[in-house]
Amino acid sequence: MGASLRSRWIGLALLAAMLLIWQLAMRFEHPNFLMGPLEIARHFGEALRSGELLPHIGASLVRSLPGFIIGSLVGVVLGLLAGFARSLDQLLSPPVFLSYPVPKIVFLPIVMLWLGIGDLSKIVVISLACFYPCFINAYYGARGTSTIMVWSGLNMGARRSQIFRKVVVPSALPLVFAGLRVSLALSFILLFSTEMINARSGLGFLIRQSESSLRFDLMYVAIVAVAALGYAGVSSRGSRRPAGELTLARPGLHRPAGGPPGDRDPRLGSDGAKRTVEPAHRSIRRANRLPALAAGDPT
């Protein structure tokens, strides 16, 4: 806790030092379109009081949040199912991983031809951008489920649906939340890119319009609003912890001698050697073959 608090104070000190250097640099001769932090803060307050900024913030959120919710929900559900079921893995993984490197903003002209230049096309492109991180993180989270957990559930008579709900999904949650955090940031990035094309409101539109009309004060205000929205979305207290530090309690399944349950990696044997962890769907398929093998059926 002390190290985390110290790191936060160091980060704040570096930010304050950068702003101070920026403000001091404004004392020298500079172009008119450059403004110092104090001047930008003053214009930001004026834009809030006059009501010039709030309608554009609302328009941006109306486009960003539905796209984030739709894309993330579809990505998480399909990613978990693909990581659990081999048939869905073979069906979904090749097209998803093949199209993942393509920048999603290039689909905007195509989507506009299909859906028009309104908000729907922008929401669809944002949903597409949010889908990929959530799918990939949920997919690898499900595939990384401990074999011990799957076999323990099967030995206790759990069905496949119960294994999915009570073992695979909780085990994948750390990576799922990491994917949601990345998707939220991408939703804002794609939002402002799409709003600069055929939009009549929103922060992206405000930046482009202010630059065209030489309203540099309003342009800086819109950029600060973009940064504030992005920071508020991806840096809550709970989401600051790295995904690897999130642990789920699994009492009684791997209790090391002389220590509390859950503080030992289930992939480590009693001798400390690391065991190979199979994906969940392989463990379930192997368990389903046990009755046939016991009866002498080689298939």
Side-chain angles (χ1 to χ4, degrees):
M1 186 66 181
S4 175
L5 186 60
R6 185 164 53 251
S7 299
R8 183 174 301 182
W9 280 109
I10 292 176
L12 291 175
L14 289 176
L15 177 61
M18 290 175 58
L19 293 176
L20 179 60
I21 295 174
W22 182 6
Q23 183 64 39
L24 292 177
M26 292 297 101
R27 294 178 176 272
F28 301 96
E29 185 178 356
H30 59 277
N32 294 331
F33 59 82
L34 292 181
M35 297 183 181
L38 294 179
E39 191 175 1
I40 294 175
R42 179 172 58 83
H43 287 299
F44 189 86
E46 293 176 356
L48 286 178
R49 287 192 298 269
S50 65
E52 190 175 8
L53 183 63
L54 292 180
H56 294 285
I57 293 178
S60 293
L61 291 179
V62 166
R63 299 185 184 107
S64 175
L65 294 182
F68 166 72
I69 293 173
I70 295 171
S72 299
L73 181 61
V74 175
V76 168
V77 172
L78 292 183
L80 290 174
L81 292 176
F84 180 74
R86 183 175 179 83
S87 58
L88 283 177
D89 184 9
Q90 296 174 341
L91 177 66
L92 297 176
S93 295
V96 169
F97 286 99
L98 182 64
S99 58
Y100 173 66
V102 180
K104 308 309 173 288
I105 192 65
V106 302
F107 293 107
L108 182 59
I110 301 175
V111 176
M112 281 184 172
L113 290 176
W114 292 344
L115 304 176
I117 62 174
D119 290 347
L120 182 59
S121 59
K122 298 173 176 57
I123 292 175
V124 169
V125 173
I126 294 171
S127 301
L128 188 64
C130 295
F131 167 81
Y132 285 90
C134 288
F135 178 92
I136 293 173
N137 279 44
Y139 172 78
Y140 283 111
R143 286 181 61 89
T145 303
S146 172
T147 309
I148 295 177
M149 302 295 296
V150 175
W151 278 79
S152 298
L154 293 172
N155 289 336
M156 290 185 287
R159 298 186 299 273
R160 285 177 60 91
S161 60
Q162 292 176 319
I163 293 294
F164 178 76
R165 289 186 290 107
K166 298 184 178 182
V167 177
V168 175
V169 173
S171 177
L173 280 182
L175 280 178
V176 168
F177 284 120
L180 289 173
R181 184 179 181 182
V182 174
S183 295
L184 184 58
L186 284 177
S187 69
F188 285 109
I189 294 173
L190 265 294
L191 167 69
F192 305 121
S193 299
T194 56
E195 284 182 340
M196 291 183 177
I197 304 174
N198 293 325
R200 294 295 179 266
S201 62
L203 292 174
F205 164 76
L206 184 61
I207 293 174
R208 181 173 60 84
Q209 185 189 47
S210 302
E211 187 270 337
S212 301
S213 59
L214 302 181
R215 285 288 308 277
F216 299 115
D217 57 337
L218 197 56
M219 182 184 70
Y220 283 110
V221 166
I223 293 174
V224 171
V226 171
L229 286 177
Y231 182 81
V234 303
S235 62
S236 62
R237 184 176 180 85
S239 64
R240 282 183 175 273
R241 298 179 64 186
E245 293 183 5
L246 295 175
T247 56
L248 300 176
R250 296 162 179 159
L253 289 175
H254 44 85
R255 184 190 301 271
D263 61 352
R264 184 175 181 180
D265 192 340
R267 295 172 295 180
L268 297 181
S270 58
D271 56 351
K274 193 168 186 177
R275 297 194 300 264
T276 302
V277 178
E278 294 180 323
H281 59 74
R282 293 185 182 177
S283 301
I284 294 175
R285 289 203 313 274
R286 180 176 295 184
N288 291 337
R289 295 181 59 213
L290 287 179
L293 293 177
D297 185 358
T299 60

